[in-house]
Amino acid sequence: MLWIKALHIIFVTSWFAGLFYLPRLLVNHAMVTDVATSERLKLMEQKLYRFMLPLAILALAFGLWLWLGYGISGRWMHPKLTLVAVLIGYHFYCGKLVNDFKQDKNKHSHVWYRWFNELPVAVLTIIVILVVVKPF
């Protein structure tokens, strides 16, 4: 099971790298005015998003394997799983935002994206505390 735990941590870390970087690309894209830079950012966003999906699936699969294998329980698990669901929603909403930029239909300012970028940091912080400290 230690191999499964290691793989879970590797894929969660890799997925979070994308969850941290993609919104930063969107911040920059929201500030761009020239077409060439916008097209380059569209390509980068699309490639990163496509790369993130298998990482997310593997992180979730190994997490489920751990949960079933260890029979992990406790009241801390409920908020953790809720936050994982929030991250999944965040991931797919990022895909919607990437698609909006692809179609030149962005509706948000770079300031909005800066705030949007903070959500995965907050969620990761809470999840780590829940998993390590198990406060309840």
Side-chain angles (χ1 to χ4, degrees), residues 37-48:
T37 304
S38 178
E39 292 302 314
R40 187 174 334 112
L41 286 169
K42 286 177 188 178
L43 183 62
M44 291 172 67
E45 292 157 2
Q46 291 166 16
K47 285 184 175 189
L48 178 57

Side-chain angles (χ1 to χ4, degrees), residues 31-97:
M31 295 188 305
V32 165
T33 56
D34 68 288
V35 175
T37 304
S38 178
E39 292 302 314
R40 187 174 334 112
L41 286 169
K42 286 177 188 178
L43 183 62
M44 291 172 67
E45 292 157 2
Q46 291 166 16
K47 285 184 175 189
L48 178 57
Y49 187 74
R50 280 195 309 260
F51 182 71
M52 289 167 53
L53 186 57
L55 298 172
I57 291 168
L58 287 166
L60 295 169
F62 285 115
L64 181 61
W65 192 343
L66 284 171
W67 189 23
L68 297 174
Y70 279 118
I72 300 170
S73 62
R75 291 187 306 170
W76 62 272
M77 183 59 84
H78 299 286
K80 185 222 179 200
L81 292 176
T82 300
L83 291 171
V84 169
V86 167
L87 286 173
I88 293 167
Y90 183 89
H91 177 102
F92 286 111
Y93 189 66
C94 281
K96 181 220 178 290
L97 296 171

